[in-house]
């Protein structure tokens, strides 16, 4: 049995990258058992039925990333704490922390170690909150140094990219962390499409942009590039999908409101998986304007569906885009994205060439990722004996 911390994902309706990773691990990792730190009972426990349903993706898609604990769960936790009710966790071979965990989890990692649940390992996603603090939520920026130090309590770390691995090791070196745990790069997998692949549509090009509207995702530059091309007379439509962060996404939302009254721009916010699949099938290509990523899952989600992706090359995006089907933008500016979009809108042969590359690219599935993750965890457990 491998315990997997799902403290946030089991209480959230968000569908961002980290939640996708957690749900894929639970689904594909043999012997994975989800657990949570109950902040009201103040101890680790197995998930209850309503939490398992939420972890499986039941319920509406939420525009908010925060975890939500209903009143009955809070009351049950308080009662357990008052009564000192605590059911010991069954023994496990290892503990995996695939989320960007909060202070409650970080503070109580030692409890898991004391219970003898095997080595503790974590998935590390990125250090963007420290690299681009001005474009990150203030609360995340304030929390992040403590989170990175708490990661050093683990026995090993699986970074999602070489760029993320280097960022973590650099921070630990700067912070003077003595004998940090080893960091291995294990690139993420990607979901196969649920709809059959469709050929590139003809007619007016449809440009799809999928991703949370927040500062570092650089939607304002993308939207300004669209405005520039529309004003020059290019004919295309834009579909924008992804919930907006209330602070760092506010400027992008204002730009959407400004443009949608004049130009063919549709913004849908958060959508279901089925609606997202249909949006991919109806698109000509996608744009992922992010300034920096720890991995760049939306790039692969586009390319695996045969849709070329225009993307920046910051952080790990260069690694993710290197397999084909992508048009990289060295300078993720208004002019940079406008030039790349105009190229694919006006040069159908290049668009088809990139689509051909995409359909012939080899992709790492979540099952393959989970098998490698399991082997890595079991090797850690064997060394710990």
């Amino acid at each position: 049995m491998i315990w997997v911390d799902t403290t946030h994902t089991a209480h959230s309706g968000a569908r961002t990258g980290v939640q996708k990773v957690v749900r894929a691990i639970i689904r594909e990792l043999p012997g994975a058992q989800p657990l949570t730190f109950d902040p009201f009972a103040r101890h680790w426990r197995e998930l209850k039925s309503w939490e398992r349903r939420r972890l499986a993706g039941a319920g509406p898609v939420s525009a908010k990333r925060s975890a939500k604990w209903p009143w009955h769960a809070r009351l049950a936790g308080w009662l357990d704490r008052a009564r000192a009710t605590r059911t010991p966790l069954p023994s496990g071979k290892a503990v995996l922390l695939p989320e960007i965990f909060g202070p409650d989890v970080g503070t109580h990692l030692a409890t898991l170690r004391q219970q003898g649940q095997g080595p503790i390992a974590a998935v590390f996603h990125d250090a963007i909150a420290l690299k681009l603090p001005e474009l990150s939520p203030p609360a995340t920026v304030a929390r992040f140094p403590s989170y990175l130090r708490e990661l050093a309590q683990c026995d090993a770390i699986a970074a999602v990219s070489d760029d993320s691995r280097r960022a973590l090791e650099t921070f630990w070196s700067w912070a003077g962390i003595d004998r940090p745990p080893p960091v291995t790069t294990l690139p993420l997998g990607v979901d196969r499409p649920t709809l059959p692949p469709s050929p590139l549509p003809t007619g007016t090009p449809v440009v799809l942009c999928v991703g949370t509207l927040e500062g570092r995702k650089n939607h304002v530059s993308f939207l300004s590039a669209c405005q520039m091309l529309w004003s020059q007379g290019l004919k295309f439509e834009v579909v924008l999908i992804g919930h907006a962060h209330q602070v760092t996404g506010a400027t992008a939302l204002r730009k959407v409101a400004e443009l949608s009254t004049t130009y063919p721009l549709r913004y849908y916010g958060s959508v279901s998986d089925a609606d997202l699949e249909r949006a991919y099938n109806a698109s000509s290509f996608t744009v992922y304007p992010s300034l920096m990523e720890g991995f760049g899952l939306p790039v692969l989600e586009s390319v695996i569906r045969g849709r070329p992706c225009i993307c920046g090359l910051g952080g790990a995006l260069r690694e993710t885009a290197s397999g084909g089907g992508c048009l990289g933008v060295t300078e993720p500016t208004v002019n940079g994205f406008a030039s790349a979009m105009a190229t694919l809108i006006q040069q159908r042969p290049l668009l088809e060439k990139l689509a051909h590359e995409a359909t012939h690219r080899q992709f790492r599935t979540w099952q393959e990722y989970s098998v490698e993750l399991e082997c890595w965890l079991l090797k850690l457990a064997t060394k710990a004996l």
Side-chain angles (χ1 to χ4, degrees):
M1 179 188 298
I2 296 172
W3 290 110
V4 181
D5 174 37
T6 61
T7 300
H8 184 272
T9 306
H11 305 95
S12 172
R15 296 290 191 273
T16 60
V18 174
Q19 282 82 50
K20 288 184 178 180
V21 173
V22 174
R23 291 185 169 112
I25 288 173
I26 292 297
R27 185 181 69 237
E28 302 290 349
L29 182 65
Q33 290 295 325
L35 81 162
T36 183
F37 181 80
D38 189 322
F40 304 98
R42 306 302 294 170
H43 64 76
W44 294 94
R45 61 170 174 78
E46 297 184 67
L47 298 192
K48 297 179 180 179
S49 57
W50 68 272
E51 292 167 317
R52 289 182 177 273
R53 290 193 296 270
R54 172 53 86 188
L55 181 61
V61 178
S62 173
K64 296 183 178 181
R65 294 188 185 184
S66 57
K68 182 179 180 180
W69 289 73
W71 67 266
H72 65 81
R74 297 174 182 232
L75 179 59
W78 285 325
L79 289 174
D80 283 351
R81 187 177 179 185
R83 298 167 179 168
T85 304
R86 182 176 303 186
T87 303
L89 294 173
S91 61
K93 295 179 179 178
V95 178
L96 178 67
L97 311 171
E99 301 181 325
I100 302 173
F101 52 79
D104 275 341
V105 169
T107 301
H108 291 86
L109 289 180
T111 306
L112 286 174
R113 196 178 296 282
Q114 291 166 3
Q115 292 178 5
Q117 298 297 341
I120 299 176
V123 175
F124 180 65
H125 298 274
D126 62 70
I128 294 172
L130 298 185
K131 291 183 176 181
L132 298 175
E134 71 280 7
L135 297 177
S136 302
T140 302
V141 176
R143 159 69 184 153
F144 226 73
S146 296
Y147 163 65
L148 296 185
R149 287 185 171 90
E150 288 160 0
L151 279 176
Q153 300 177 49
C154 296
D155 297 292
I157 306 292
V160 300
S161 65
D162 285 332
D163 183 79
S164 289
R165 175 182 54 77
R166 288 191 294 266
L168 180 58
E169 291 173 340
T170 299
F171 174 83
W172 280 345
S173 176
W174 172 84
I177 300 296
D178 185 36
R179 290 182 296 180
V183 186
T184 299
T185 299
L186 293 181
L188 299 175
V190 64
D191 282 316
R192 297 288 183 186
T194 57
L195 292 178
S198 63
L200 291 175
T202 57
T204 303
V206 177
V207 180
L208 176 64
C209 181
V210 179
T212 307
L213 273 67
E214 55 182 304
R216 69 177 174 88
K217 299 292 187 180
N218 201 26
H219 284 86
V220 174
S221 292
F222 163 65
L223 292 168
S224 297
C226 293
Q227 184 179 16
M228 177 188 294
L229 297 180
W230 278 322
S231 67
Q232 293 172 359
L234 265 67
K235 304 294 184 184
F236 64 99
E237 301 174 8
V238 172
V239 173
L240 191 60
I241 291 176
H243 75 262
H245 189 279
Q246 60 181 354
V247 178
T248 68
T251 304
L253 278 181
R254 288 194 293 271
K255 191 68 175 178
V256 168
E258 172 195 339
L259 296 181
S260 59
T261 59
T262 306
Y263 300 107
L265 166 63
R266 290 168 285 162
Y267 172 52
Y268 292 110
S270 299
V271 302
S272 67
D273 291 343
D275 286 339
L276 183 59
E277 287 288 354
R278 285 189 283 269
Y280 274 116
N281 268 7
S283 69
S284 305
F285 61 89
T286 68
V287 178
Y288 192 58
S290 180
L291 294 172
M292 186 177 293
E293 291 293 317
F295 183 75
L297 196 54
V299 174
L300 289 188
E301 290 174 338
S302 173
V303 177
I304 198 172
R305 288 163 174 81
R307 294 302 183 260
C309 181
I310 294 174
C311 64
L313 299 173
L317 285 170
R318 186 179 298 274
E319 296 174 50
T320 304
S322 64
C326 298
L327 182 58
V329 177
T330 305
E331 296 293 331
T333 60
V334 174
N335 289 335
F337 285 113
S339 176
M341 290 168 61
T343 298
L344 292 193
I345 290 170
Q346 296 174 318
Q347 298 183 26
R348 179 77 183 193
L350 176 58
L351 179 66
E352 292 178 345
K353 175 179 178 293
L354 291 175
H356 179 78
E357 288 179 8
T359 56
H360 288 79
R361 181 169 169 171
Q362 296 297 312
F363 295 95
R364 180 184 176 92
T365 66
W366 283 118
Q367 183 181 36
E368 291 168 335
Y369 170 76
S370 296
V371 167
E372 187 169 356
L373 188 64
E374 182 191 29
C375 292
W376 176 72
L377 288 169
L378 294 180
K379 187 178 295 184
L380 287 177
T382 300
K383 290 181 179 179
L385 292 177

